[in-house]
C-alpha cells in the first residue's frame, strides 16, 4: 500500500473513493457538507431517509454522486463528536479500511482535515490511518493452495489537518505504515506452523534483516556456542528436540557507539508441547504461537531499521522447541544457568523463563539503557487479563510507567502487576538456588519474579503477552501485539 498527503478538498479530489465522517444523529461533518453542497444534497437526502445514523463503526458506499470528482463516497459513522477519542478514531478507520477491502476501489482518500480527536494530536490520527489500513488488510494464505485475492486498494491519501505542516504529516504517515507492516510481519511469523517456523527459520528471518538493512548486524549462536557461554538453562529446553536451539542477536546501529542500547528480548519457543510435563491435547496446536514474543522483536527490529531510528537497539531472540524425548529434561533435573545460579526444573512446561533467563544474562554485556522482554509466558496472564491487556512487570517504576503510557497511546494496552518479595519467596528450592515454578497461585507474578533474578544489573520490564498475542476460536490467529507498544517505546527514546 502507498500512502500520501493530499490537500485538495473532499468535493474536488479525484479518487476512486472519498471517505467522510457522519456524526451521531446523522450529522454530516464539514467534509460531508462540502460534498452535499455541490451534489444537489445527495448526502442530506440519504441521511433523511434514515438509512445511515452515523453510529461509530458504521460504513456505507454512495455511488454516482453528482458534482464531485470521486467515483464513490464512503460514509463513516463517527458516533458522538464530542466523545470522539483515540479508540473511536481507530474503530472508525478500521471500519473504513474493511469496507475498502470489500470494494473494488484501487485508491482512496480520507477527508479528515476538520476532525478533532479529544485525547490525541493530528499526527497520531494521520499515522493511524496508515497503521490501521495495513493491519486490516492482512490475510494469511501461505499454507493454503488457494491464494487470497490481492487487496484492491493500493494507494491511500489523507487530507492534512488544518494547521499541520506537510513534512510532519508525511513523517507521521510513514511511521504509521512501518508500524502497521511490522504488526503484520509479527502476525505472519506467529501464524506459520511449527514445522515451518523452527528456531533456524527465525534465525533466517533475522539474517534477512541484516541483508536488507545497512544499520542491522545479525549474529546467530549455535548450541555449541551457547554451551561455551554456560547457557545450561536455555539448552535444557531444546535437549528433547531434534531442532537445535538458536540465540539470535540483531543489532541496529542508529547512534554512535557510546550511546547505550535499548534491548528487546523475545521468547521464541517455536512449539511448546510442555516437554515431559506434557500439555493436555486440547488446543495444543495453539502452542505454535509460543514464539510470538520473538516475532514481535524481529518485526520491531525491521521497523526500527526502516525508520532509521537515531538510537542503538538490540533485539535478542531465544529460540527453541520444547519436546519430550529420551534426552529431554525431566522434572527434578537441576541445571546451571549462564549467571551461575542453579535451577531446579520442577515442571518442564515452565520453559519460557528457562530460555529467557540465559538471554537476560547474555545481554548484560551490552550495558543496556533498558531491557524489555516479551513472552507468551503464563496461562495465568490469560486468566487475569483475558485477551485485552498485556501483563507488565518491572524492576523500575519509571520504565513501567512509560511502557504503560506507550500501550495506552497505541491502543495496545499493558497493565502492571507487583514484583514483591512475598512472591519471590515462592520460588524456593530444597535442592537448587531457585525453582522454575512458584506453585499454582499468582503464576504471572512468580514467573516475573523468576526472570527478575536474572535482570538485576539493568532497568528491566517484562511483558507477558500470553493473552494478547493471538486470538482463539473462529478468529484464531496472531494479533501482532505488542509491536505497536514497542515501537512507541523506541520512538520516544533519544540517543
Ligand atoms: N507457553 C505457555 C504459556 C501459555 C499457556 C500461553 C496457555 C498461552 C496459553 C508456557 O510455556 C507454559 O506452559 N506455562 C505454564 C507454567 C506453569 C507450568 C508454571 C502455565 O502457564 O501453565
Ligand atoms: Mn510451557
Ligand atoms: Zn511456553
Amino acid at each position: 500500500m502507498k500512502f500520501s498527503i493530499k490537500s485538495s478538498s473532499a468535493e474536488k479530489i479525484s479518487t476512486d473513493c472519498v471517505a467522510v465522517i457522519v456524526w451521531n444523529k446523522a450529522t454530516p461533518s464539514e467534509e460531508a457538507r462540502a460534498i452535499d453542497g455541490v451534489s444537489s444534497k445527495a448526502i442530506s437526502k440519504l441521511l433523511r431517509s434514515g438509512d445511515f445514523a452515523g453510529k461509530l463503526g458504521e460504513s456505507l458506499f454512495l455511488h454516482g454522486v453528482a458534482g464531485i470528482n470521486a467515483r464513490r463516497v464512503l460514509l463513516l459513522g463517527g458516533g458522538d463528536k464530542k466523545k470522539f477519542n483515540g479508540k473511536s478514531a481507530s474503530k472508525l478507520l478500521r471500519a473504513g479500511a474493511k469496507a475498502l477491502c470489500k470494494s473494488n476501489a484501487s485508491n482512496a482518500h480520507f477527508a479528515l482535515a476538520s476532525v478533532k480527536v479529544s485525547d490525541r494530536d493530528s499526527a497520531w490520527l494521520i499515522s493511524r490511518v496508515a497503521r490501521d489500513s495495513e493491519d486490516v488488510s492482512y490475510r494469511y494464505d501461505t499454507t493454503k493452495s488457494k491464494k487470497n485475492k490481492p487487496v484492491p486498494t493500493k494507494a491511500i491519501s489523507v487530507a492534512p489537518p488544518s494547521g499541520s505542516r506537510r513534512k510532519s504529516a508525511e513523517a507521521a504517515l510513514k511511521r504509521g505504515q512501518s508500524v502497521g507492516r511490522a504488526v503484520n510481519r509479527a502476525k505472519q511469523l506467529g501464524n506459520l506452523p511449527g514445522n515451518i517456523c523452527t528456531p533456524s527459520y527465525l534465525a533466517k528471518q533475522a539474517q534477512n534483516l541484516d541483508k536488507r538493512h545497512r544499520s542491522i548486524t545479525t549474529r546467530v549462536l549455535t548450541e555449541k556456542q551457547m554451551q561455551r557461554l554456560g547457557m545450561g538453562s536455555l539448552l535444557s529446553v531444546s535437549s528433547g528436540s531434534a531442532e537445535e536451539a538458536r540465540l539470535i542477536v540483531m543489532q541496529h546501529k542508529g547512534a554512535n557507539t557510546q550511546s547505550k542500547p535499548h534491548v528487546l528480548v523475545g521468547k521464541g519457543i517455536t512449539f511448546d508441547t510442555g516437554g515431559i510435563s506434557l500439555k493436555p491435547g486440547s488446543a495444543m496446536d495453539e502452542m505454535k504461537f509460543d514464539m510470538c514474543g520473538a516475532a514481535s522483536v524481529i518485526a520491531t527490529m525491521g521497523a526500527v531499521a526502516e525508520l532509521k531510528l537515531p538510537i542503538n537497539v538490540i533485539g535478542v531472540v531465544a529460540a527453541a522447541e520444547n519436546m519430550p524425548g529420551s534426552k529431554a529434561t525431566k522434572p527434578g533435573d537441576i541445571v546451571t544457568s549462564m549467571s551461575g545460579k542453579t535451577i531446579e526444573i520442577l515442571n518442564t512446561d515452565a520453559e519460557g523463563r528457562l530460555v529467557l533467563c540465559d538471554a537476560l544474562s547474555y545481554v548484560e554485556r551490552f550495558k543496556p539503557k533498558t531491557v524489555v522482554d516479551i513472552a507468551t509466558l503464563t496461562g495465568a496472564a490469560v486468566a487475569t487479563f483475558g485477551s485485552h491487556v498485556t501483563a507488565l512487570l518491572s524492576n523500575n517504576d519509571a520504565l513501567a510507567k512509560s511502557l504503560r503510557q506507550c500501550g495506552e497511546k497505541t491502543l495496545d494496552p499493558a497493565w502492571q502487576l507487583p514484583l514483591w518479595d512475598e512472591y519471590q519467596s515462592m520460588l524456593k528450592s530444597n535442592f537448587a538456588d531457585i525453582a522454575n515454578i512458584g506453585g499454582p497461585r499468582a503464576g504471572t507474578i512468580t514467573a516475573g519474579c523468576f526472570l527478575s533474578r536474572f535482570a538485576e544489573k539493568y532497568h528491566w520490564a517484562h511483558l507477558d503477552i500470553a493473552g494478547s498475542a493471538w486470538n482463539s476460536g473462529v478468529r484464531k490467529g496472531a494479533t501482532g501485539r505488542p509491536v505497536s507498544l514497542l515501537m512507541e517505546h523506541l520512538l520516544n527514546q533519544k540517543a
Side-chain angles (χ1 to χ4, degrees):
M1 248 177 220
K2 276 207 156 60
F3 295 91
S4 60
I5 299 292
K6 281 189 186 154
S7 43
S8 23
S9 53
E11 73 281 12
K12 294 210 185 91
I13 191 149
S14 300
T15 172
D16 273 2
C17 175
V18 60
V20 295
I21 299 187
V22 173
W23 303 107
N24 249 358
K25 299 190 187 134
T27 315
S29 61
E30 230 172 81
E31 290 80 6
R33 283 205 306 275
I35 291 178
D36 209 39
V38 299
S39 66
S40 34
K41 308 280 171 201
I43 292 185
S44 23
K45 273 182 208 154
L46 171 95
L47 294 177
R48 239 178 290 125
S49 78
D51 284 3
F52 194 85
K55 243 178 47 201
L56 182 62
E58 247 185 309
S59 67
L60 183 73
F61 281 111
L62 291 181
H63 293 265
V65 176
I68 63 171
N69 294 320
R71 286 226 172 90
R72 319 166 173 70
V73 176
L74 175 56
L75 299 183
L76 297 174
D80 189 338
K81 186 177 175 181
K82 279 190 235 97
K83 290 190 186 143
F84 194 69
N85 60 15
K87 243 186 217 177
S88 11
S90 177
K91 190 166 179 190
L92 171 138
L93 293 172
R94 297 175 78 87
K98 264 177 216 154
L100 286 171
C101 283
K102 287 187 202 139
S103 79
N104 197 27
S106 62
N107 57 67
H109 177 76
F110 282 84
L112 306 173
S114 75
V115 176
K116 295 270 180 299
V117 184
S118 63
D119 52 358
R120 300 287 196 283
D121 59 18
S122 58
W124 181 90
L125 178 65
I126 294 178
S127 105
R128 201 74 202 183
V129 172
R131 190 222 165 280
D132 281 336
S133 301
E134 288 285 354
D135 187 354
V136 164
S137 68
Y138 172 82
R139 301 279 181 284
Y140 179 88
D141 63 8
T142 314
T143 44
K144 295 184 179 184
S145 55
K146 196 160 165 268
K147 301 299 174 193
N148 298 321
K149 265 198 290 191
V151 174
T153 316
K154 304 278 185 267
I156 288 177
S157 56
V158 190
S162 35
S164 77
R165 284 192 331 201
R166 195 182 185 95
K167 270 264 154 54
S168 55
E170 277 167 353
L173 259 187
K174 189 168 175 220
R175 276 199 305 277
Q177 176 172 32
S178 284
V179 173
R181 282 168 43 177
V183 166
N184 289 346
R185 182 84 189 109
K187 287 187 221 170
Q188 175 64 15
L189 286 172
N191 286 337
L192 287 172
N195 61 329
I196 293 177
C197 186
T198 58
S200 49
Y201 183 91
L202 288 177
K204 183 87 185 298
Q205 304 317 303
Q207 276 157 340
N208 288 346
L209 286 182
D210 180 317
K211 279 186 209 140
R212 254 204 308 280
H213 301 284
R214 286 187 58 162
S215 71
I216 290 196
T217 312
T218 297
R219 206 175 147 222
V220 177
L221 274 64
T222 60
E223 288 199 345
K224 210 179 214 161
Q225 291 168 304
M226 288 189 264
Q227 229 144 32
R228 279 193 219 115
L229 287 166
M231 296 188 166
S233 181
L234 190 155
L235 291 168
S236 76
V237 174
S238 60
S239 65
S241 170
E243 295 289 340
E244 269 209 29
R246 293 284 181 267
L247 190 81
I248 305 164
V249 185
M250 296 155 278
Q251 303 207 37
H252 162 83
K253 193 171 182 305
N256 63 35
T257 318
Q258 291 95 279
S259 171
K260 290 184 177 164
H262 294 275
V263 174
L264 306 176
V265 177
K267 170 179 174 182
I269 299 298
T270 58
F271 196 83
D272 180 13
T273 65
I276 297 297
S277 314
L278 192 65
K279 285 184 179 295
S282 96
M284 204 208 272
D285 66 289
E286 295 189 9
M287 283 301 117
K288 74 172 183 178
F289 295 119
D290 213 15
M291 36 57 69
C292 282
S296 75
V297 172
I298 294 172
T300 298
M301 291 306 292
V304 162
E306 202 170 283
L307 292 170
K308 301 189 163 64
L309 294 197
I311 52 172
N312 294 328
V313 184
I314 300 176
V316 174
V317 164
E321 189 183 63
N322 188 20
M323 293 283 280
S326 66
K327 293 197 172 134
T329 301
K330 306 169 292 300
D333 284 1
I334 294 176
V335 297
T336 304
S337 65
M338 184 179 176
S339 71
K341 289 191 172 88
T342 59
I343 303 166
E344 185 182 18
I345 300 177
L346 289 170
N347 189 320
T348 64
D349 198 10
E351 84 298 339
R353 61 198 79 182
L354 296 175
V355 298
L356 288 171
C357 71
D358 279 342
L360 290 172
S361 298
Y362 180 82
V363 304
E364 279 178 13
R365 67 188 55 205
F366 301 122
K367 305 203 166 27
K369 208 176 278 172
T370 63
V371 177
V372 179
D373 79 68
I374 307 97
T376 49
L377 206 63
T378 62
V382 193
T384 307
F385 288 123
S387 59
H388 300 302
V389 176
T390 295
L392 160 65
L393 299 100
S394 177
N395 63 12
N396 181 272
D397 282 337
L399 176 60
K401 184 174 177 205
S402 144
L403 289 170
R404 192 160 49 71
Q405 286 168 343
C406 291
E408 190 176 321
K409 182 164 177 202
T410 57
L411 307 175
D412 188 359
W415 201 259
Q416 195 177 3
L417 295 173
L419 269 184
W420 293 332
D421 292 346
E422 291 85 338
Y423 295 106
Q424 291 283 2
S425 62
M426 293 165 78
L427 293 167
K428 280 189 181 137
S429 159
N430 287 356
F431 303 107
D433 299 341
I434 184 173
N436 83 323
I437 55 169
R441 304 167 71 186
T444 304
I445 297 177
T446 55
C449 287
F450 181 95
L451 296 176
S452 74
R453 308 282 185 99
F454 301 86
E456 285 165 349
K457 301 241 166 79
Y458 41 69
H459 294 172
W460 159 82
H462 160 59
L463 296 172
D464 191 335
I465 55 167
S468 54
W470 76 88
N471 295 313
S472 306
V474 280
R475 289 177 55 236
K476 194 194 294 181
T479 60
R481 290 178 67 183
V483 168
S484 303
L485 182 161
L486 295 173
M487 281 305 295
E488 187 68 20
H489 164 62
L490 296 172
L491 283 161
N492 286 345
Q493 307 299 333
K494 289 185 198 76

